[in-house]
Amino acid sequence: MIRTYVSDGQGPTQAQLDEVKNAEKYPVVPDEDCPELSSAMEKAFRSAVVQRNRKNNRKNA
């Protein structure tokens, strides 16, 4: 994974926006490194996200 850091107030470049628009045309294809989630795994993931967001909101309040 490549990470790019930007300064405050700096938005994505036009090339980056074009790349995202182009990626929307292709389907998501699960593979052995990132398999499709089962219903139970998806439910657990959503629960973990909700808990993380609640924890972060308490820190920022």
Side-chain angles (χ1 to χ4, degrees):
M1 175 170 51
I2 297 172
R3 293 186 181 197
T4 303
Y5 297 94
V6 295
S7 302
D8 288 338
Q10 182 182 6
T13 64
Q14 188 58 45
Q16 291 169 327
L17 293 172
D18 292 342
E19 187 175 344
V20 171
K21 289 283 186 191
N22 189 34
E24 290 177 336
K25 298 176 187 174
Y26 297 97
V28 175
V29 181
D31 61 11
E32 62 274 356
D33 291 333
C34 186
E36 192 169 1
L37 296 177
S38 68
S39 297
M41 290 171 63
E42 186 175 342
K43 185 177 179 181
F45 178 76
R46 289 180 190 269
S47 176
V49 169
V50 168
Q51 290 176 10
R52 181 205 62 202
N53 290 344
R54 285 182 185 154
K55 181 180 176 184
N56 288 343
N57 287 339
R58 286 186 204 135
K59 283 183 181 180
N60 296 332

